[in-house]
Amino acid sequence: MYAEPGIIRKIIEETGDTWALVGLSSNRQRAAYGVAEVLRRHGKRVVPVHPKAGPVHGERGYARLADIPFAVDVVDVFVNSSLAGAVADEAVAIGARAVWFQLGVVDEAAYERTRAAGLDMVMDRCPAIELDSLRLRDARRARLS
């Protein structure tokens, strides 16, 4: 598992509401587009980061993380594992608070570097799935209380 206990909940609920989605474009067929919709429904500001940086869900897109002129809390990475480490390094450089590698995106060296730099990190997970899981767990706890 590529997340310390409690890190998923911490990132989703406490780290902040501005999420940069690297690889998000206006292509509705891509997973990033659907995940962006879920994050927005849960109150997150979703900033697209894509080389062809166009607006998505009404939010201006940026070609690189370094181009974003405001603070980013979480960098959510939808790129191939071979490119993900460089994105994690960029997240550290811009002062993000956490990095999230999507399902299938794994780079253990990047995980170690990012954690050593003081950022929280999750790998090989989807925040849309985790949001639903957290809500279900919380609802069960509430019913049992």
Side-chain angles (χ1 to χ4, degrees), residues 49-133:
V49 179
H50 192 279
K52 296 178 183 173
V56 181
H57 297 298
E59 186 75 42
R60 177 182 171 194
Y62 297 89
R64 302 173 310 135
L65 288 171
D67 296 337
I68 301 173
F70 46 83
V72 170
D73 299 309
V74 181
V75 174
D76 190 357
V77 182
F78 284 88
V79 300
N80 186 289
S81 295
S82 65
L83 304 172
V87 175
D89 295 339
E90 289 178 51
V92 171
I94 67 162
R97 298 171 59 201
V99 175
W100 192 299
F101 282 7
Q102 280 295 322
L103 287 171
V105 181
V106 175
D107 181 331
E108 292 181 7
Y111 182 87
E112 295 303 324
R113 286 194 312 274
T114 304
R115 295 291 296 133
L119 281 69
D120 290 325
M121 185 162 179
V122 172
M123 249 184 348
D124 196 26
R125 295 288 189 87
C126 176
I129 293 169
E130 298 301 332
L131 274 162
D132 287 343
S133 294

Side-chain angles (χ1 to χ4, degrees), residues 9-73:
R9 183 179 291 273
K10 178 182 177 192
I11 291 172
I12 288 173
E13 295 180 354
E14 301 171 21
T15 299
D17 290 332
T18 302
W19 287 53
L21 271 65
V22 178
L24 174 61
S25 71
S26 59
N27 183 342
R28 294 173 184 264
Q29 304 305 311
R30 304 291 299 198
Y33 194 90
V35 171
E37 287 181 324
V38 171
L39 289 169
R40 289 182 69 239
R41 279 197 308 269
H42 286 275
K44 307 300 182 190
R45 179 182 185 186
V46 176
V47 181
V49 179
H50 192 279
K52 296 178 183 173
V56 181
H57 297 298
E59 186 75 42
R60 177 182 171 194
Y62 297 89
R64 302 173 310 135
L65 288 171
D67 296 337
I68 301 173
F70 46 83
V72 170
D73 299 309

